[in-house]
Amino acid sequence: MGLRKAIQELDRAVDDLSSLHVQTFIGDISISTENSSVVTENNEGVEEIAVSTSTATYTDIESLKEITTVKADVSIVAETLIKFDGDSYNFVNKDYDKIPTAAIDIHREALKNGLDTRLGLINLFKEIIT
Amino acid sequence: MSFKDHPSYDFLDSKDAISKVVSFDALVTDASDKGIISDLPSSDKETYDFKKQRLRIQTFASRLYLLGYLKEKIVFKGKESISDEIIETVKNAVHKFQIEAGLKQDNWVGEKTWNALDEIVSFESEMNEDFWFDGEEIRENRKYALHRAIQLRLWALGMHDHKPKLNFELLKESDLESFVSVQLVLHFRINAHELNKRTVSYIFDQDFLTHKIASRRGEENEQSFQFKDYDEVHKNRARKFIINTLKVELWLLGFEVDIDGAYDFEYKRGSKLFKALKSFYIKFQDKKKNRARKLAKRIIPNVFTEIDAINQNQVGFDEDDFCDDVVEEMNSSEKINTMWDSIKEKGTRLWDGVKRFWRAIKKIGKKIVRFFIDNIYKGFLRFATRTYHYLKNGFRAIVNSISNYVKGEIKFENCTYFFRKDMDAQIVISNNIENEQVNYIVGAFQYQSKAFNVGCKLVSFLIDVIKKLATGFLGWAKFLFSMVRSYKDVKQIVKDFHFLAVNPI
């Protein structure tokens, strides 16, 4: 994709840069497709088809958010909302000590990534316009 | 294509930021398409696009010829295009070099192939020892290429009778006979007689060789080389080495001499070497014409002493300082247009000799600059190309980052990162995630945002430079000058995000 197309796509894709909202979920989860069965071989080399019943599956983020309300083993780890007027909001799961630090690390990096990217865009266009 | 053609700079008047950025990208692409600036080609197809890559094709074709991969030197002067037959010949030569240098055989003269050629032909480039050697030994899969380069260097310095040929056979230790003689007569005291890393490093260390000659004045007469304790064979070998080392040094400084490996210690008045020497005494030692003419009649140790003093200059090559000198000198469209016309035919010489020339300016002063304007041209092109290279990487970083956003998600093992329309994020992590995977994901996030930020910074900075570069520059000259003027700052921006410089996206 060339720069012109990329920026046009971005222009179409981006609604609003005035706030940043990051949510991080964790659980026994997997992405599902149309046929969610898993094909494996047993010891005799015979194909078996197994359907997991213990793993929550989701096809997109909306379905995942629905799952989190019904499945106790999929939960939201942290949620951060930063408004560019200075207000911010931070949520961390009450069972913080049970949440793997990996999840918090990833949430933090995702937040930083979002802020840096917004700053990059703002700097780019601000420098050019002035 | 006329270099004076005006590309479109009207994007600078646009208030719409997106239009500015997009139009600037178009301008940068246009510069490459028209061959105004040649970055390393991004594919094998682009490698042989003569319009875009003329300067580079000339250079690597010359180098391949010198190494014996081409039977005849290809003449590019005056040509605006080259035939398919020539392209095919050059491609085959590249292919053979890639085989003999243990490189991927894709005919693409990208960074690896370009650097490999540069290291073994250029007099000033440093050799990547890990690439060419395994401990003290030359790597088996690169032996043929390096042996060709050794023979070429020995020939250039008068220590081998022939340049490497098309049907090349590996060197034997007997091919180092002249070099061993020279070591003896000139008191090198290194005993380098095997075809290994140690010997190769001495042969390719031009500063070292010149220094040793400068240190070996005649025992009885400081104004001549006297080797009375040696037989004629040894003496002649030493003299041949001395005269050819001088030619190399003068060539690197920008004088019009030929590197030909010839034994012309008793050269004629009026010859290129004579004229170059005379010019050297006038410009570098402030001698009057008559005195310079007398001194130039024969080779005396003094000229090596002077060159050695320049080379041993304790002030290391300061690229930023040289960049300032170049910017100061190339301060008009006319000069840049003249440079363009001059530089088109240069080939290999375009990429060699910059360090020596800069050291000479530092020692002798800027008065010599205008006499060797070609070296300023070389510097100009070097800095413009590098800024352009960083800028292209900047654009690529922006496009890659936006592409990820537009896709809407990035998938990792045990983790998915979703982007929403307002660039908000939702991350989904599996319980099974491992520490290694976390480190990888964290690294990927950092890379993505850093690359994007560097890209944005570079692009906006360069647009600003062009905007502020008002009078005195027209056409493509404006674009090139803005690239050179920005070089130091662009280098700093990229250095702050070092990874982008060494890991182009």
Side-chain angles (χ1 to χ4, degrees):
Chain A
M1 182 182 345
L3 184 67
R4 178 185 291 272
K5 192 159 190 299
I7 290 189
Q8 281 167 349
E9 291 286 333
L10 185 70
D11 200 31
R12 265 200 291 274
V14 173
D15 278 344
D16 174 24
L17 290 179
S18 65
S19 64
L20 172 63
H21 187 197
V22 177
Q23 293 171 308
T24 302
F25 299 88
I26 192 165
D28 191 8
I29 45 186
S30 64
I31 297 175
S32 76
T33 57
E34 284 290 319
N35 303 306
S36 58
S37 54
V38 175
V39 180
T40 59
E41 283 186 0
N42 64 16
N43 290 338
E44 282 93 40
V46 173
E47 278 189 353
E48 288 182 338
I49 296 171
V51 178
S52 170
T53 52
S54 62
T55 305
T57 60
Y58 64 93
T59 52
D60 57 37
I61 195 63
E62 297 307 325
S63 59
L64 175 73
K65 282 156 78 178
E66 282 174 29
I67 290 164
T68 60
T69 62
V70 298
K71 287 213 63 111
D73 53 354
V74 178
S75 56
I76 187 158
V77 168
E79 182 170 358
T80 304
L81 171 67
I82 299 174
K83 289 188 174 178
F84 278 74
D85 59 2
D87 287 347
S88 67
Y89 155 74
N90 242 330
F91 163 82
V92 177
N93 192 299
K94 66 176 166 47
D95 295 324
Y96 180 79
D97 50 351
K98 291 181 188 156
I99 304 288
T101 50
I104 300 295
D105 289 342
I106 290 175
H107 181 84
R108 193 171 42 235
E109 280 307 319
L111 198 62
K112 192 167 178 305
N113 183 40
L115 286 170
D116 285 346
T117 306
R118 271 166 169 70
L119 203 60
L121 272 174
I122 288 167
N123 281 335
L124 174 65
F125 294 131
K126 179 193 80 174
E127 289 295 336
I128 289 165
I129 287 169
T130 53
Chain B
M1 193 267 303
S2 161
F3 193 66
K4 297 176 180 64
D5 282 350
H6 290 256
S8 167
Y9 287 106
D10 56 9
F11 68 92
L12 295 173
D13 300 323
S14 171
K15 286 202 172 59
D16 174 350
I18 291 179
S19 298
K20 269 192 170 72
V21 172
V22 168
S23 296
F24 182 56
D25 176 47
L27 176 73
V28 170
T29 306
D30 203 21
S32 170
D33 287 345
K34 288 192 161 68
I36 300 295
I37 204 153
S38 296
D39 198 3
L40 282 168
S42 56
S43 66
D44 58 330
K45 192 174 168 202
E46 198 181 315
T47 296
Y48 304 98
D49 182 338
F50 192 65
K51 195 174 176 191
K52 279 171 118 170
Q53 293 286 327
R54 184 203 177 107
L55 294 178
R56 287 190 185 266
I57 293 173
Q58 274 174 210
T59 302
F60 70 71
S62 298
R63 286 175 170 169
L64 290 167
Y65 164 71
L66 288 169
L67 290 169
Y69 291 101
L70 286 167
K71 203 173 166 187
E72 285 162 1
K73 189 169 183 177
I74 298 174
V75 175
F76 292 96
K77 192 168 182 167
K79 287 195 167 95
E80 292 301 321
S81 64
I82 49 175
S83 66
D84 290 344
E85 200 186 321
I86 292 179
I87 291 174
E88 205 49 41
T89 305
V90 173
K91 220 184 250 193
N92 290 338
V94 167
H95 190 84
K96 192 167 180 189
F97 170 70
Q98 288 175 328
I99 293 173
E100 293 191 357
L103 291 161
K104 189 174 172 191
Q105 291 135 51
D106 52 9
N107 300 332
W108 172 20
V109 184
E111 192 168 351
K112 289 189 175 134
T113 303
W114 177 270
N115 286 349
L117 269 173
D118 184 58
E119 283 168 29
I120 58 176
V121 175
S122 161
F123 287 98
E124 286 191 331
S125 290
E126 278 182 34
M127 216 180 264
N128 180 341
E129 288 186 353
D130 285 339
F131 181 83
W132 295 105
F133 303 101
D134 180 5
E136 267 304 302
E137 303 307 314
I138 299 172
R139 289 189 186 273
E140 276 305 313
N141 64 335
R142 308 200 204 282
K143 220 173 207 174
Y144 270 86
L146 189 52
H147 273 225
R148 282 179 185 267
I150 295 167
Q151 184 174 333
L152 176 65
R153 188 59 62 95
L154 289 171
W155 168 83
L157 295 170
M159 294 188 283
H160 201 289
D161 289 333
H162 306 289
K163 287 203 294 278
K165 291 186 172 127
L166 205 57
N167 297 325
F168 180 75
E169 287 178 11
L170 288 177
L171 296 176
K172 303 178 195 57
E173 282 187 5
S174 56
D175 287 291
L176 295 176
E177 218 174 279
S178 274
F179 183 49
V180 171
S181 285
V182 162
Q183 291 173 51
L184 194 66
V185 176
L186 294 178
H187 298 181
F188 280 19
R189 301 188 211 287
I190 56 173
N191 193 26
H193 59 273
E194 294 175 51
L195 283 161
N196 58 17
K197 182 168 113 177
R198 187 169 171 271
T199 302
V200 171
S201 65
Y202 283 121
I203 292 170
F204 279 74
D205 188 344
Q206 192 59 32
D207 287 356
F208 167 80
L209 298 173
T210 305
H211 176 67
K212 281 298 179 186
I213 296 174
S215 309
R216 187 76 174 93
R217 295 163 187 274
E219 294 90 351
E220 291 170 357
N221 180 356
E222 283 201 357
Q223 291 308 308
S224 67
F225 293 102
Q226 300 271 346
F227 308 123
K228 64 176 188 173
D229 293 333
Y230 299 96
D231 62 31
E232 279 309 306
V233 170
H234 280 84
K235 281 186 199 175
N236 286 337
R237 282 174 178 169
R239 288 187 191 117
K240 194 178 176 194
F241 167 69
I242 287 169
I243 190 76
N244 284 288
T245 302
L246 179 62
K247 287 179 209 169
V248 166
E249 290 291 341
L250 291 172
W251 183 85
L252 285 169
L253 282 169
F255 289 96
E256 285 305 319
V257 290
D258 296 324
I259 297 176
D260 55 15
Y263 185 15
D264 48 359
F265 202 79
E266 307 295 335
Y267 50 89
K268 291 182 182 154
R269 287 172 67 171
S271 66
K272 278 186 181 177
L273 184 53
F274 174 83
K275 287 178 185 170
L277 268 175
K278 185 177 147 199
S279 188
F280 177 86
Y281 286 120
I282 293 170
K283 286 161 189 163
F284 282 67
Q285 292 191 345
D286 276 334
K287 302 289 185 204
K288 299 273 186 251
K289 273 187 190 166
N290 284 338
R291 180 73 185 135
R293 198 182 300 120
K294 277 188 186 153
L295 288 169
K297 280 182 192 172
R298 59 192 185 92
I299 306 296
I300 55 174
N302 176 263
V303 68
F304 284 95
T305 310
E306 180 72 34
I307 292 172
D308 185 45
I310 291 169
N311 292 345
Q312 300 296 327
N313 193 341
Q314 288 307 305
V315 176
F317 178 61
D318 186 329
E319 199 181 55
D320 288 355
D321 209 359
F322 184 51
C323 188
D324 286 339
D325 291 334
V326 169
V327 166
E328 193 184 312
E329 192 54 37
M330 302 295 290
N331 56 6
S332 74
S333 278
E334 266 165 8
K335 289 184 181 180
I336 295 171
N337 287 328
T338 306
M339 171 218 72
W340 179 251
D341 289 333
S342 157
I343 219 139
K344 269 195 300 189
E345 319 291 353
K346 291 293 175 186
T348 295
R349 197 158 172 170
L350 207 50
W351 311 92
D352 217 347
V354 164
K355 283 183 193 167
R356 259 162 182 67
F357 177 66
W358 183 84
R359 286 187 218 151
I361 297 175
K362 291 301 143 192
K363 183 166 190 306
I364 293 157
K366 289 191 183 177
K367 60 183 178 177
I368 62 168
V369 164
R370 278 193 196 87
F371 295 120
F372 301 99
I373 198 71
D374 268 11
N375 286 303
I376 292 290
Y377 294 164
K378 285 187 219 174
F380 189 87
L381 198 71
R382 175 184 284 212
F383 296 124
T385 305
R386 285 199 189 157
T387 303
Y388 179 82
H389 177 73
Y390 289 135
L391 180 61
K392 261 182 61 180
N393 276 349
F395 277 124
R396 213 171 295 145
I398 293 172
V399 170
N400 283 348
S401 197
I402 291 174
S403 299
N404 283 330
Y405 279 115
V406 166
K407 256 189 281 184
E409 63 181 32
I410 308 178
K411 285 199 177 94
F412 302 99
E413 202 170 337
N414 286 320
C415 176
T416 306
Y417 189 157
F418 292 96
F419 299 102
R420 293 171 58 93
K421 280 201 81 163
D422 47 11
M423 292 181 81
D424 291 339
Q426 282 149 333
I427 304 113
V428 179
I429 307 170
S430 169
N431 279 328
N432 302 322
I433 197 162
E434 291 166 10
N435 281 338
E436 233 176 66
Q437 290 164 348
V438 173
N439 292 337
Y440 177 80
I441 291 163
V442 164
F445 282 159
Q446 287 174 347
Y447 185 94
Q448 153 122 340
S449 61
K450 275 184 187 172
F452 184 72
N453 271 318
V454 172
C456 289
K457 229 173 168 175
L458 279 172
V459 171
S460 60
F461 176 74
L462 279 156
I463 290 176
D464 198 44
V465 167
I466 292 184
K467 197 164 70 176
K468 286 177 178 156
L469 197 62
T471 55
F473 289 93
L474 297 170
W476 285 111
K478 185 171 183 166
F479 179 77
L480 283 177
F481 188 79
S482 64
M483 292 293 112
V484 177
R485 197 159 118 173
S486 316
Y487 176 67
K488 278 170 34 175
D489 293 307
V490 163
K491 205 170 77 160
Q492 194 55 47
I493 292 171
V494 173
K495 202 173 160 185
D496 291 342
F497 298 94
H498 173 70
F499 74 97
L500 188 63
V502 297
N503 298 300
I505 298 155

